[in-house]
Structures are given as structure tokens and as C-alpha cells.
Amino acid sequence: MGIKGLMKFLQEAAPKAVREVDGQQAYTGRVVAIDASMCLYQFLIMIRENRSGSYNNLTNEEGQVTSHIIGMLTRTIKLMESGIKPVYVFDGKPPELKLNELDARRQKRDEASANLQAAVEAGDSEQILKSTKATVRVTREQNEETKRLLRLMGVPVVEAPSEAEATCAALCRDGKVYAAATEDADCLTFGTKILIRNLMAAESQKKQILEVSLERALQQLNISMDQFIDFCILSGCDYCDTLKGVGPSTAIKLLVQHGSLEKVLEVLGPEKVPQNFRYQAAREFFKECEAVDTSKVDFKFEDPDCEGLTKFLVEECSFSKERVDRYLERLRNSKSRAKQRPLDSFFGAPKIEIKEGDKFDPTKKRSAAKAAAKAGSGKRKAPGAAGGAPKRARA
């Protein structure tokens, strides 16, 4: 889930922190940490066939799912053709704080499985597709297969000790990568300097790539990082229960009005605070940002193992040899693009000034805040880009 409603709130309340990006080419020459677990989940949901009317994942000759393989292979090649140097970060052991959230997700999958069975019996194709997607989970085997694929491609793989987005944030915070790419907005709560959204979205989804600056968000919201963490916890996160009826807009007002999360809870009273609202533990978890030791990280982008890739994709994944040869040619050609310098090394990074009048005022009426956000969130192009409105990203 990440942080409930955070991206929409930032676009409205801190529009100067959110930048629309022309496309993947804006990150030419950049090293980007990507939440691999989130990507695999998306591939397993989106990449399906419908010849049988059951919307099943793609499989090899033995019936083993390969949607995650084709998804990761093609999207990674596309990133590299755009000059991006991807580093994939995989989830480790889930934190104890998240176990309740994971149990809730399992219950939803069980409900979806029951709905799927009923939809199949009723021949309801629309409900079959909806329920099928809701039953998706990424297995350990699929994670390991994807790591193997990426290593054969010469792409760095990082195994996080806990949440992938926390390690992505730490890598960005400590200057090991330019940005963290994930759909989980709590990567900002973990402290990533720059968050990229929709970088891995398929072209058919027509999703705008968005770049969020944590520094500008804090400046425009006029709060500290500690306050931002408490704000995110109040808004709703994965690591403690949520407060009913409290979203980002209410959370920021309560924090500004009462000064601290503790005071907010005192004012709300025990009847409005769930028993499992372990905000202190969630706060420490965000601050600790359990991640790999970034001082020991040294990413190496190797040449692809073409023979190993061919054997893996043809013999184990049942890809055609001709198709694999085309992928390998694109992969080899993409290596030269990754050596190019970032655009803003020529043109300079965009300078965005946040004036006193730009700062968010939670006492303003919501309609006025929306109007101000709309006026200040004109499309901004990537460094050095020219021409009209930003183009949609291709994936």
C-alpha cells in the first residue's frame, strides 16, 4: 500500500516537488535503483494470454509461469536502450510490523480465489479477469529466476535485508544511485532524495513518469523530516493500524494544529485510536531504514553472458531461438547508450525556487489549495529537453 493518498496530496499541496518527465531518455547515464519486487508483481498481473478465456500467465512447455521473465527482460532492455543503468533491489524478510498488513492481503487473495471460482462457473469473463489479478503473488522461485536472468544480462542485483524500498531509499540517500524507482510512496518516508514513479509502466498504460523531490516536498509543506514521517504514519502506512477517517489532508492539519503525533492522539482520545496503532515502532522503523551497508556497495555493469542467456531463455523458458537472438542484439547495442552522460551535465539541473507564498497552508480551504496547485503544477520537462508538452513514456 505504501502511504495512503500521499502522491495525490503532494501533487496538490506541494506541486513544485513533483515534476513530469518527458520519458525514460531523461535519465540517460543515470544509475537508478528499482524495486524489483514491485515490478514482478506488475508483470504477473499485466502479462497474460486469453486464448483459453482464463487470462492465464504465459508459461513454458512444462507449464511454469514465465510472465515475469519476459516482462523483466523486455522492460530492462528498454531502460538500457534509453541509457539508464538499472540496479534491481529485491525484498528480504518482511518486518514483523508488516505481518498484520500481509495477513490482510492474504485474506483478500483468499476472497478473490473464491470469487474466481464462482466467476468461472458463471462464465463471467470480466469478473474472471478481475479476480485472477487479485490472486497474484510473487513466489520465491520467481524471485530467484529473475535474479538469475538479470545477472546473466550483466545487471546488478541487490538483496535487501528487509523492504526493497528501504534499501532503494538508502542507496539514493547515500549517493550510490540518482533516484529510487518504485510505486510505493513510502520510499520517500524512508528518506530517498528522489522518487521516480511509473518508470516501468507499459506504453499501453499511457502513464506519465513523475519525479518527486523529497527536499522540495519538505520545503513546500514547511515541515521537517521527522514531522513528515509522523504525517505519513497518521495518513496510513503498512506498519501499524490506520486511524479511521484520517487521510493526508486531515493528518497535516492535525499535526500543524497540535504540534506532535502524540498530542494528536491525546486530542483524538482512545476511542478513535485502534489498539494496534504502534506508531512509535513504525516511526523508528522508518528512521532506521533497515538496508544494505551502502559503504560496501560498488555496482558493476558487466557484459551479458549471451551463451548463458540463450540457454536459460530457450531451454528453460521455451523462448524461440530467433526471438532470443533479437533480444541479445538489442541488449548488446544498448551498452553504448548507458555510457552517455546525463542531460543535466550539459544543461544543468532545473532550479526551482520555493517562495514563502508557495508554502502549503493547511488552514486554507481545500478548493483554494487545489486551484493554487493546479496553477503551479504546469508540465516541466526533463533537463535539457525542448519543445512542447512532455511526451508519454514508452516502456
Side-chain angles (χ1 to χ4, degrees):
M1 180 183 74
I3 307 301
K4 184 176 64 176
L6 180 58
M7 274 303 300
K8 181 181 179 182
F9 174 79
L10 289 177
Q11 287 175 293
E12 294 178 351
K16 290 196 171 184
V18 184
R19 181 166 70 92
E20 293 187 355
V21 177
D22 289 2
Q24 294 177 346
Q25 293 81 0
Y27 300 108
T28 293
R30 295 292 192 190
V31 181
V32 177
I34 301 173
D35 183 345
S37 303
M38 178 66 70
C39 294
L40 293 183
Y41 180 74
Q42 292 174 333
F43 296 151
L44 290 171
I45 285 179
M46 298 300 298
I47 302 177
R48 295 175 177 273
E49 58 83 21
N50 189 32
R51 291 189 298 273
S52 60
S54 58
Y55 302 99
N56 289 322
N57 285 121
L58 304 183
T59 61
N60 61 12
E61 292 178 353
E62 297 177 357
Q64 297 169 325
V65 172
T66 58
S67 291
H68 57 300
I69 297 297
I70 186 62
M72 187 62 78
L73 175 66
T74 55
R75 301 287 172 83
T76 301
I77 291 176
K78 182 64 177 174
L79 290 178
M80 295 172 69
E81 287 175 333
S82 296
I84 296 173
K85 300 175 183 177
V87 172
Y88 285 98
V89 182
F90 287 78
D91 276 328
K93 184 179 179 180
E96 289 187 16
L97 289 173
K98 199 175 183 178
L99 295 182
N100 286 340
E101 171 67 20
L102 295 177
D103 283 340
R105 293 179 188 179
R106 273 191 287 270
Q107 290 177 16
K108 288 181 180 179
R109 282 200 300 269
D110 290 343
E111 291 174 7
S113 296
N115 292 337
L116 175 60
Q117 182 63 35
V120 170
E121 292 174 359
D124 186 342
S125 59
E126 184 176 342
Q127 186 60 44
I128 289 174
L129 178 59
K130 182 179 178 180
S131 298
T132 297
K133 290 181 176 181
T135 62
V136 167
R137 62 181 292 269
V138 181
T139 67
R140 180 178 299 177
E141 291 75 20
Q142 289 163 348
N143 270 306
E144 294 306 315
E145 289 164 354
T146 307
K147 292 174 190 176
R148 184 180 170 198
L149 168 72
L150 292 168
R151 288 172 176 139
L152 288 169
M153 294 174 71
V155 174
V157 168
V158 177
E159 299 187 42
S162 184
E163 301 279 63
E165 64 266 33
T167 286
C168 287
L171 291 171
C172 182
R173 178 198 66 203
D174 296 343
K176 297 296 181 177
V177 300
Y178 170 75
T182 177
E183 305 313 302
D184 273 346
D186 61 359
C187 196
L188 289 165
T189 324
F190 281 115
T192 188
K193 293 180 180 179
I194 298 175
L195 170 69
I196 303 175
R197 301 258 298 190
N198 301 327
L199 184 69
M200 301 290 283
E203 182 181 0
S204 60
Q205 292 180 286
K206 300 186 184 301
K207 288 187 176 182
Q208 174 68 54
I209 297 177
L210 298 174
E211 181 179 299
V212 185
S213 165
L214 177 60
E215 180 182 8
R216 290 181 196 140
L218 296 178
Q219 286 178 357
Q220 195 162 13
L221 291 177
N222 201 23
I223 58 177
S224 67
M225 186 62 195
D226 284 348
Q227 289 174 313
F228 181 72
I229 290 174
D230 283 355
F231 155 69
C232 290
I233 293 170
L234 270 176
S235 299
C237 71
D238 290 341
Y239 308 114
C240 64
D241 280 351
T242 57
L243 300 177
K244 190 175 181 180
V246 177
S249 296
T250 304
I252 197 77
K253 289 177 183 176
L254 289 171
L255 270 179
V256 171
Q257 182 180 353
H258 301 294
S260 70
L261 197 158
E262 282 81 2
K263 187 63 176 176
V264 169
L265 298 181
E266 182 182 325
V267 171
L268 290 176
E271 66 277 2
K272 292 186 179 180
V273 180
Q275 188 174 1
N276 197 40
F277 191 68
R278 300 169 58 191
Y279 72 91
Q280 300 102 324
R283 178 193 281 160
E284 287 306 310
F285 187 67
F286 279 125
K287 288 184 177 181
E288 181 185 351
C289 186
E290 185 179 4
V292 295
D293 185 349
T294 58
S295 67
K296 297 180 180 178
V297 169
D298 182 23
F299 298 127
K300 294 182 180 179
F301 296 84
E302 308 285 356
D303 289 332
D305 178 353
C306 295
E307 183 179 345
L309 261 177
T310 300
K311 184 175 181 180
F312 174 64
L313 294 173
V314 174
E315 296 182 13
E316 297 184 38
C317 299
S318 304
F319 288 21
S320 72
K321 179 66 165 55
E322 295 75 14
R323 187 183 186 189
V324 171
D325 287 341
R326 291 195 295 271
Y327 286 138
L328 289 176
E329 183 179 2
R330 288 176 60 192
L331 184 58
R332 284 190 292 263
N333 292 338
S334 70
K335 285 290 183 177
S336 60
R337 287 282 296 160
K339 295 177 182 178
Q340 295 183 19
R341 291 167 60 190
L343 286 172
D344 61 12
S345 66
F346 297 99
F347 300 97
K351 298 187 184 301
I352 298 175
E353 182 183 0
I354 297 177
K355 300 176 181 178
E356 197 63 32
D358 296 326
K359 293 182 179 180
F360 176 67
D361 182 355
T363 64
K364 286 182 180 179
K365 290 184 178 180
R366 188 167 179 83
S367 57
K370 279 187 174 181
K374 187 175 181 180
S377 61
K379 291 186 177 180
R380 293 185 288 279
K381 294 179 280 297
K391 297 177 181 178
R392 297 290 186 185
R394 293 178 178 270

